Amino acid sequence: MFEYFPTNYIWSLGVAATLNSGGAIDEVDRACRPIRDAAERGDAGTRDLMLAWKRVADQVAEQAQEAEKAGHLRTAGQKYFRSAAYVCQAERMLSSSDPERIPFYQQGLDALQKSFDLIDPATTRVAIPFEGSELPAYFLKAERPDGTPAPTMIMWNGLDSTKEHMYTSGWPQELAQRGISTLMVDCPGSGEALRFLGLKSRVETEDWAAACVDWLETREDVDHDRIGLAGWSLGGYYAPRAAAFEKRIKLVVAWGANHNWGEVQKKRLEREGENPVPHYWEHVLWVWGYDDLDSFIQAAEAVNLNGVVEQITCPFLITHGENDRQINVKYAHQSYDQAVNSPKRTLRVFTPEEGATEHVGLDHLPHVGAYTADWIEDTFLEMA
């Protein structure tokens, strides 16, 4: 992986993710350069990172406003997009108790909405009814040449990502070019669902899946017989769990396996592996709604797919990086070996030689994204 901050895996992964999600290398460098030396000395904190990135995000947003006033709407939309991408990558580094976190996240939401308005009318903000509340989401509608309803992928977050990360990754746009729509959802424990609505994560992710499918089935532009589900990072647990019990899901993708996340938490207590974000334990308690670490660790034992993936009866793709420093590749093999009732199970491990070998392929996101899109396209065609 390109490691801008050689002594800081978490920050370097964020840089790689940004460069693979529409970021401009000059702007990313200008955001990071002021804190690079401090990071190497070990005296730069997440607030320093946020302020450095915010300066560049604000500058790009100001450029977008100037372009919009001049009538250069495409330029403005592109700049609002990049400003939003920078905000959302930096926001995930902040402590959940930081008073700037929610306003900073809102800044990213506002910039991305401006981008939709100016250059991407195919993507709209929607809300999925869920247990008296809602799951905030984006829906990217694919236009099919024959005008038929589109196969549709539901896309779910991991522990610390948001639907904005999904959108800026470029993957939903890639699916749209193949005639496949995408519903990008902030599940309980992530994005707006956590920050604004207080919805916490849970073991039974089939509940969220049912709500998403129910909503899609109300749309005439969706092929109700070809609805799939992809989840990355912790979504590698969320998505297979949901597909095992919500049979209206016709294919499922674990974009980074997470067969036994509870076991991984115990290993992280022993400092095995890398964390995805700073303030890690504060973050997981926020996501899952626990006040103390001991209670969380005990409850997290249930976050595993043993006895679950055997109940998946639809096509199942697992992608994983051989050198994933967060989730060991052995968990990908466990999910694959146990998914004996899937009619089409596929395991794709990405190597250092080709790239996409880090966590969910963030070091070479287009590579793992293209493979996954190809597999989904082929599988939906087989169903047709």
Side-chain angles (χ1 to χ4, degrees), residues 198-226:
L199 299 179
K200 306 297 185 177
S201 189
R202 66 175 67 161
V203 171
E204 302 83 6
T205 62
E206 59 271 22
D207 300 341
W208 319 335
C212 292
V213 176
D214 286 347
W215 185 85
L216 287 172
E217 287 185 341
T218 67
R219 296 186 64 107
E220 296 181 356
D221 53 2
V222 169
D223 183 342
H224 301 164
D225 295 322
R226 289 190 289 173

Side-chain angles (χ1 to χ4, degrees), residues 10 24 31 35 50 99 125-126 128 141 143 166 172 177 185 201 231 290 304 311 328 333 349 355:
I10 295 174
I35 56 173
M50 184 274 283
R125 180 183 175 86
V126 299
I128 312 302
K141 178 182 176 180
E143 296 293 342
M166 300 180 203
Q177 292 298 314
V185 185
S201 189
Y290 285 86
N304 71 80
Q311 300 182 63
N328 193 286
H333 291 282
V349 176

Side-chain angles (χ1 to χ4, degrees), residues 90-315:
E91 181 269 348
R92 59 183 281 274
M93 302 290 184
L94 291 172
S95 163
S96 60
S97 59
D98 192 309
E100 294 298 320
R101 181 155 195 176
I102 300 304
F104 195 40
Y105 180 60
Q106 184 64 58
Q107 177 179 334
L109 293 179
D110 294 343
L112 197 57
Q113 185 61 55
K114 289 288 292 184
S115 181
F116 295 160
D117 295 342
L118 293 173
I119 61 173
D120 186 14
T123 300
T124 55
R125 180 183 175 86
V126 299
I128 312 302
F130 178 70
E131 298 182 354
S133 185
E134 64 184 37
L135 303 178
Y138 300 137
F139 184 72
L140 199 171
K141 178 182 176 180
E143 296 293 342
R144 295 174 65 82
D146 58 4
T148 58
T152 300
M153 288 299 298
I154 304 165
M155 193 174 184
W156 283 354
N157 292 314
L159 180 71
D160 57 276
S161 58
T162 67
K163 64 188 181 304
E164 290 71 44
H165 295 119
M166 300 180 203
Y167 180 81
T168 57
S169 75
W171 193 68
Q173 295 84 338
E174 181 65 30
L175 289 182
Q177 292 298 314
R178 300 160 185 258
I180 301 168
S181 296
T182 305
L183 178 66
M184 297 157 266
V185 185
D186 278 337
C187 302
S190 72
E192 290 185 65
L194 174 65
R195 289 157 179 77
F196 298 148
L197 301 173
L199 299 179
K200 306 297 185 177
S201 189
R202 66 175 67 161
V203 171
E204 302 83 6
T205 62
E206 59 271 22
D207 300 341
W208 319 335
C212 292
V213 176
D214 286 347
W215 185 85
L216 287 172
E217 287 185 341
T218 67
R219 296 186 64 107
E220 296 181 356
D221 53 2
V222 169
D223 183 342
H224 301 164
D225 295 322
R226 289 190 289 173
I227 295 173
L229 171 62
W232 59 19
S233 195
L234 183 52
Y237 162 79
Y238 291 157
R241 163 81 196 204
F245 300 109
E246 175 48 79
K247 297 302 182 180
R248 291 177 294 174
I249 294 172
K250 301 304 182 184
L251 65 82
V252 63
V253 178
W255 191 323
N258 236 316
H259 188 86
N260 196 333
W261 191 74
E263 182 176 84
V264 171
Q265 303 321 295
K266 290 185 176 180
K267 292 182 178 180
R268 284 185 176 158
L269 281 176
E270 300 168 357
R271 298 187 180 277
E272 290 187 29
E274 294 282 0
N275 291 334
V277 291
H279 319 288
Y280 179 74
W281 295 112
E282 179 184 327
H283 187 83
V284 295
L285 294 178
W286 183 39
V287 167
W288 289 86
Y290 285 86
D291 296 323
D292 66 279
L293 189 55
D294 289 342
S295 297
F296 164 74
I297 291 296
Q298 182 177 358
E301 292 180 0
V303 187
N304 71 80
L305 295 172
N306 293 317
V308 174
V309 288
E310 293 90 335
Q311 300 182 63
I312 293 176
T313 53
C314 63

Side-chain angles (χ1 to χ4, degrees), residues 19 62 82 97 162 221 223 282 323 344-345 354 375:
L19 292 174
E62 290 169 3
R82 293 203 307 279
S97 59
T162 67
D221 53 2
D223 183 342
E282 179 184 327
N323 283 1
K344 179 184 178 181
R345 57 175 172 160
E354 64 181 313
W375 186 91

